[in-house]
PDB file of all heavy atoms in Angstrom:
ATOM      1  N   ALA A  57      -0.493  -7.599 -47.029  1.00  0.00           N
ATOM      2  CA  ALA A  57       0.688  -8.139 -46.340  1.00  0.00           C
ATOM      3  C   ALA A  57       1.237  -9.361 -47.077  1.00  0.00           C
ATOM      4  O   ALA A  57       2.455  -9.518 -47.224  1.00  0.00           O
ATOM      5  CB  ALA A  57       0.311  -8.500 -44.901  1.00  0.00           C
ATOM      6  N   LEU A  58       0.354 -10.211 -47.564  1.00  0.00           N
ATOM      7  CA  LEU A  58       0.803 -11.420 -48.273  1.00  0.00           C
ATOM      8  C   LEU A  58       1.478 -11.044 -49.585  1.00  0.00           C
ATOM      9  O   LEU A  58       2.458 -11.676 -50.000  1.00  0.00           O
ATOM     10  CB  LEU A  58      -0.382 -12.358 -48.535  1.00  0.00           C
ATOM     11  CG  LEU A  58      -1.030 -12.978 -47.295  1.00  0.00           C
ATOM     12  CD1 LEU A  58      -2.259 -13.792 -47.700  1.00  0.00           C
ATOM     13  CD2 LEU A  58      -0.044 -13.866 -46.535  1.00  0.00           C
ATOM     14  N   GLY A  59       0.970 -10.004 -50.231  1.00  0.00           N
ATOM     15  CA  GLY A  59       1.534  -9.580 -51.507  1.00  0.00           C
ATOM     16  C   GLY A  59       2.942  -9.019 -51.382  1.00  0.00           C
ATOM     17  O   GLY A  59       3.679  -8.956 -52.371  1.00  0.00           O
ATOM     18  N   ALA A  60       3.327  -8.618 -50.167  1.00  0.00           N
ATOM     19  CA  ALA A  60       4.662  -8.039 -49.956  1.00  0.00           C
ATOM     20  C   ALA A  60       5.701  -9.100 -49.592  1.00  0.00           C
ATOM     21  O   ALA A  60       6.881  -8.780 -49.421  1.00  0.00           O
ATOM     22  CB  ALA A  60       4.587  -6.981 -48.844  1.00  0.00           C
ATOM     23  N   ILE A  61       5.282 -10.366 -49.471  1.00  0.00           N
ATOM     24  CA  ILE A  61       6.226 -11.429 -49.074  1.00  0.00           C
ATOM     25  C   ILE A  61       7.133 -11.794 -50.245  1.00  0.00           C
ATOM     26  O   ILE A  61       6.660 -11.966 -51.376  1.00  0.00           O
ATOM     27  CB  ILE A  61       5.440 -12.680 -48.590  1.00  0.00           C
ATOM     28  CG1 ILE A  61       4.819 -12.387 -47.219  1.00  0.00           C
ATOM     29  CG2 ILE A  61       6.352 -13.911 -48.541  1.00  0.00           C
ATOM     30  CD1 ILE A  61       3.964 -13.524 -46.683  1.00  0.00           C
ATOM     31  N   HIS A  62       8.426 -11.917 -49.947  1.00  0.00           N
ATOM     32  CA  HIS A  62       9.380 -12.453 -50.921  1.00  0.00           C
ATOM     33  C   HIS A  62       9.906 -13.778 -50.404  1.00  0.00           C
ATOM     34  O   HIS A  62      10.327 -13.871 -49.247  1.00  0.00           O
ATOM     35  CB  HIS A  62      10.544 -11.485 -51.140  1.00  0.00           C
ATOM     36  CG  HIS A  62      10.146 -10.312 -51.967  1.00  0.00           C
ATOM     37  ND1 HIS A  62      10.022 -10.390 -53.330  1.00  0.00           N
ATOM     38  CD2 HIS A  62       9.796  -9.061 -51.613  1.00  0.00           C
ATOM     39  CE1 HIS A  62       9.625  -9.202 -53.786  1.00  0.00           C
ATOM     40  NE2 HIS A  62       9.473  -8.382 -52.763  1.00  0.00           N
ATOM     41  N   HIS A  63       9.859 -14.777 -51.272  1.00  0.00           N
ATOM     42  CA  HIS A  63      10.344 -16.102 -50.872  1.00  0.00           C
ATOM     43  C   HIS A  63      10.709 -16.851 -52.147  1.00  0.00           C
ATOM     44  O   HIS A  63       9.950 -16.803 -53.113  1.00  0.00           O
ATOM     45  CB  HIS A  63       9.243 -16.851 -50.099  1.00  0.00           C
ATOM     46  CG  HIS A  63       9.746 -18.071 -49.407  1.00  0.00           C
ATOM     47  ND1 HIS A  63      10.437 -18.020 -48.219  1.00  0.00           N
ATOM     48  CD2 HIS A  63       9.681 -19.379 -49.737  1.00  0.00           C
ATOM     49  CE1 HIS A  63      10.763 -19.243 -47.850  1.00  0.00           C
ATOM     50  NE2 HIS A  63      10.322 -20.092 -48.752  1.00  0.00           N
ATOM     51  N   PRO A  64      11.868 -17.542 -52.133  1.00  0.00           N
ATOM     52  CA  PRO A  64      12.232 -18.265 -53.365  1.00  0.00           C
ATOM     53  C   PRO A  64      11.322 -19.459 -53.619  1.00  0.00           C
ATOM     54  O   PRO A  64      10.791 -20.057 -52.677  1.00  0.00           O
ATOM     55  CB  PRO A  64      13.672 -18.718 -53.088  1.00  0.00           C
ATOM     56  CG  PRO A  64      13.824 -18.693 -51.608  1.00  0.00           C
ATOM     57  CD  PRO A  64      12.876 -17.654 -51.083  1.00  0.00           C
ATOM     58  N   ARG A  65      11.185 -19.799 -54.895  1.00  0.00           N
ATOM     59  CA  ARG A  65      10.489 -21.043 -55.256  1.00  0.00           C
ATOM     60  C   ARG A  65      11.247 -22.222 -54.642  1.00  0.00           C
ATOM     61  O   ARG A  65      12.450 -22.133 -54.427  1.00  0.00           O
ATOM     62  CB  ARG A  65      10.508 -21.216 -56.766  1.00  0.00           C
ATOM     63  CG  ARG A  65       9.695 -20.182 -57.481  1.00  0.00           C
ATOM     64  CD  ARG A  65      10.014 -20.164 -58.958  1.00  0.00           C
ATOM     65  NE  ARG A  65       8.945 -19.462 -59.626  1.00  0.00           N
ATOM     66  CZ  ARG A  65       7.933 -20.093 -60.249  1.00  0.00           C
ATOM     67  NH1 ARG A  65       7.920 -21.409 -60.359  1.00  0.00           N
ATOM     68  NH2 ARG A  65       6.966 -19.395 -60.793  1.00  0.00           N
ATOM     69  N   THR A  97       9.664 -22.140 -43.079  1.00  0.00           N
ATOM     70  CA  THR A  97      10.177 -20.772 -43.259  1.00  0.00           C
ATOM     71  C   THR A  97       9.093 -19.882 -43.854  1.00  0.00           C
ATOM     72  O   THR A  97       8.884 -18.752 -43.409  1.00  0.00           O
ATOM     73  CB  THR A  97      11.410 -20.788 -44.179  1.00  0.00           C
ATOM     74  OG1 THR A  97      12.341 -21.718 -43.656  1.00  0.00           O
ATOM     75  CG2 THR A  97      12.051 -19.416 -44.264  1.00  0.00           C
ATOM     76  N   LEU A  98       8.400 -20.397 -44.864  1.00  0.00           N
ATOM     77  CA  LEU A  98       7.327 -19.607 -45.483  1.00  0.00           C
ATOM     78  C   LEU A  98       6.182 -19.386 -44.492  1.00  0.00           C
ATOM     79  O   LEU A  98       5.614 -18.288 -44.419  1.00  0.00           O
ATOM     80  CB  LEU A  98       6.838 -20.323 -46.750  1.00  0.00           C
ATOM     81  CG  LEU A  98       5.779 -19.628 -47.574  1.00  0.00           C
ATOM     82  CD1 LEU A  98       6.177 -18.198 -47.941  1.00  0.00           C
ATOM     83  CD2 LEU A  98       5.476 -20.440 -48.849  1.00  0.00           C
ATOM     84  N   LYS A 101       7.174 -16.555 -42.288  1.00  0.00           N
ATOM     85  CA  LYS A 101       7.058 -15.261 -42.983  1.00  0.00           C
ATOM     86  C   LYS A 101       5.604 -14.815 -43.062  1.00  0.00           C
ATOM     87  O   LYS A 101       5.283 -13.641 -42.888  1.00  0.00           O
ATOM     88  CB  LYS A 101       7.635 -15.362 -44.400  1.00  0.00           C
ATOM     89  CG  LYS A 101       9.131 -15.251 -44.462  1.00  0.00           C
ATOM     90  CD  LYS A 101       9.588 -15.140 -45.911  1.00  0.00           C
ATOM     91  CE  LYS A 101      11.097 -15.301 -45.989  1.00  0.00           C
ATOM     92  NZ  LYS A 101      11.586 -15.338 -47.368  1.00  0.00           N
ATOM     93  N   ILE A 102       4.716 -15.761 -43.364  1.00  0.00           N
ATOM     94  CA  ILE A 102       3.286 -15.429 -43.464  1.00  0.00           C
ATOM     95  C   ILE A 102       2.762 -15.003 -42.096  1.00  0.00           C
ATOM     96  O   ILE A 102       2.016 -14.028 -41.965  1.00  0.00           O
ATOM     97  CB  ILE A 102       2.507 -16.632 -44.026  1.00  0.00           C
ATOM     98  CG1 ILE A 102       2.870 -16.828 -45.498  1.00  0.00           C
ATOM     99  CG2 ILE A 102       0.996 -16.448 -43.852  1.00  0.00           C
ATOM    100  CD1 ILE A 102       2.372 -18.122 -46.099  1.00  0.00           C
ATOM    101  N   ALA A 105       3.929 -11.550 -41.461  1.00  0.00           N
ATOM    102  CA  ALA A 105       3.274 -10.577 -42.348  1.00  0.00           C
ATOM    103  C   ALA A 105       1.848 -10.295 -41.885  1.00  0.00           C
ATOM    104  O   ALA A 105       1.428  -9.131 -41.812  1.00  0.00           O
ATOM    105  CB  ALA A 105       3.274 -11.114 -43.788  1.00  0.00           C
ATOM    106  N   ARG A 108       1.220  -8.088 -38.917  1.00  0.00           N
ATOM    107  CA  ARG A 108       1.187  -6.637 -39.187  1.00  0.00           C
ATOM    108  C   ARG A 108      -0.211  -6.186 -39.597  1.00  0.00           C
ATOM    109  O   ARG A 108      -0.522  -5.005 -39.544  1.00  0.00           O
ATOM    110  CB  ARG A 108       2.213  -6.271 -40.261  1.00  0.00           C
ATOM    111  CG  ARG A 108       3.650  -6.383 -39.758  1.00  0.00           C
ATOM    112  CD  ARG A 108       4.638  -5.731 -40.709  1.00  0.00           C
ATOM    113  NE  ARG A 108       4.918  -6.554 -41.879  1.00  0.00           N
ATOM    114  CZ  ARG A 108       5.789  -7.569 -41.910  1.00  0.00           C
ATOM    115  NH1 ARG A 108       6.481  -7.879 -40.824  1.00  0.00           N
ATOM    116  NH2 ARG A 108       5.990  -8.278 -42.992  1.00  0.00           N
ATOM    117  N   PHE A 154       1.610 -19.363 -53.630  1.00  0.00           N
ATOM    118  CA  PHE A 154       0.702 -19.761 -52.548  1.00  0.00           C
ATOM    119  C   PHE A 154      -0.560 -18.922 -52.671  1.00  0.00           C
ATOM    120  O   PHE A 154      -0.583 -17.938 -53.427  1.00  0.00           O
ATOM    121  CB  PHE A 154       1.367 -19.638 -51.172  1.00  0.00           C
ATOM    122  CG  PHE A 154       1.748 -18.249 -50.764  1.00  0.00           C
ATOM    123  CD1 PHE A 154       0.885 -17.462 -50.019  1.00  0.00           C
ATOM    124  CD2 PHE A 154       2.988 -17.713 -51.118  1.00  0.00           C
ATOM    125  CE1 PHE A 154       1.239 -16.186 -49.633  1.00  0.00           C
ATOM    126  CE2 PHE A 154       3.354 -16.431 -50.746  1.00  0.00           C
ATOM    127  CZ  PHE A 154       2.477 -15.663 -50.001  1.00  0.00           C
ATOM    128  N   TYR A 174      -0.372 -15.691 -54.966  1.00  0.00           N
ATOM    129  CA  TYR A 174       0.843 -14.877 -54.828  1.00  0.00           C
ATOM    130  C   TYR A 174       2.018 -15.682 -55.370  1.00  0.00           C
ATOM    131  O   TYR A 174       2.292 -16.783 -54.872  1.00  0.00           O
ATOM    132  CB  TYR A 174       1.097 -14.524 -53.352  1.00  0.00           C
ATOM    133  CG  TYR A 174      -0.113 -13.916 -52.698  1.00  0.00           C
ATOM    134  CD1 TYR A 174      -1.037 -14.725 -52.032  1.00  0.00           C
ATOM    135  CD2 TYR A 174      -0.366 -12.555 -52.775  1.00  0.00           C
ATOM    136  CE1 TYR A 174      -2.173 -14.184 -51.449  1.00  0.00           C
ATOM    137  CE2 TYR A 174      -1.498 -12.001 -52.202  1.00  0.00           C
ATOM    138  CZ  TYR A 174      -2.396 -12.825 -51.543  1.00  0.00           C
ATOM    139  OH  TYR A 174      -3.525 -12.294 -50.976  1.00  0.00           O
ATOM    140  N   ASP A 175       2.713 -15.146 -56.366  1.00  0.00           N
ATOM    141  CA  ASP A 175       3.853 -15.856 -56.952  1.00  0.00           C
ATOM    142  C   ASP A 175       5.073 -15.756 -56.052  1.00  0.00           C
ATOM    143  O   ASP A 175       5.356 -14.679 -55.498  1.00  0.00           O
ATOM    144  CB  ASP A 175       4.186 -15.267 -58.330  1.00  0.00           C
ATOM    145  CG  ASP A 175       3.139 -15.646 -59.367  1.00  0.00           C
ATOM    146  OD1 ASP A 175       2.480 -16.700 -59.185  1.00  0.00           O
ATOM    147  OD2 ASP A 175       2.987 -14.900 -60.354  1.00  0.00           O
ATOM    148  N   LEU A 176       5.803 -16.858 -55.929  1.00  0.00           N
ATOM    149  CA  LEU A 176       7.101 -16.825 -55.255  1.00  0.00           C
ATOM    150  C   LEU A 176       8.134 -16.242 -56.222  1.00  0.00           C
ATOM    151  O   LEU A 176       7.862 -16.098 -57.421  1.00  0.00           O
ATOM    152  CB  LEU A 176       7.483 -18.234 -54.794  1.00  0.00           C
ATOM    153  CG  LEU A 176       6.527 -18.835 -53.742  1.00  0.00           C
ATOM    154  CD1 LEU A 176       6.920 -20.268 -53.409  1.00  0.00           C
ATOM    155  CD2 LEU A 176       6.494 -17.994 -52.472  1.00  0.00           C
ATOM    156  N   ASP A 177       9.322 -15.946 -55.702  1.00  0.00           N
ATOM    157  CA  ASP A 177      10.328 -15.253 -56.522  1.00  0.00           C
ATOM    158  C   ASP A 177      10.942 -16.191 -57.561  1.00  0.00           C
ATOM    159  O   ASP A 177      10.999 -17.381 -57.361  1.00  0.00           O
ATOM    160  CB  ASP A 177      11.430 -14.691 -55.628  1.00  0.00           C
ATOM    161  CG  ASP A 177      10.873 -13.605 -54.707  1.00  0.00           C
ATOM    162  OD1 ASP A 177       9.789 -13.071 -55.020  1.00  0.00           O
ATOM    163  OD2 ASP A 177      11.509 -13.331 -53.682  1.00  0.00           O
TER     164      ASP A 177
END
Side-chain angles (χ1 to χ4, degrees):
L58 294 175
I61 288 177
H62 285 282
H63 193 79
R65 293 166 163 261
T97 307
L98 183 53
K101 279 189 191 174
I102 290 169
R108 289 193 283 278
F154 64 93
Y174 308 92
D175 288 334
L176 297 176
D177 295 341

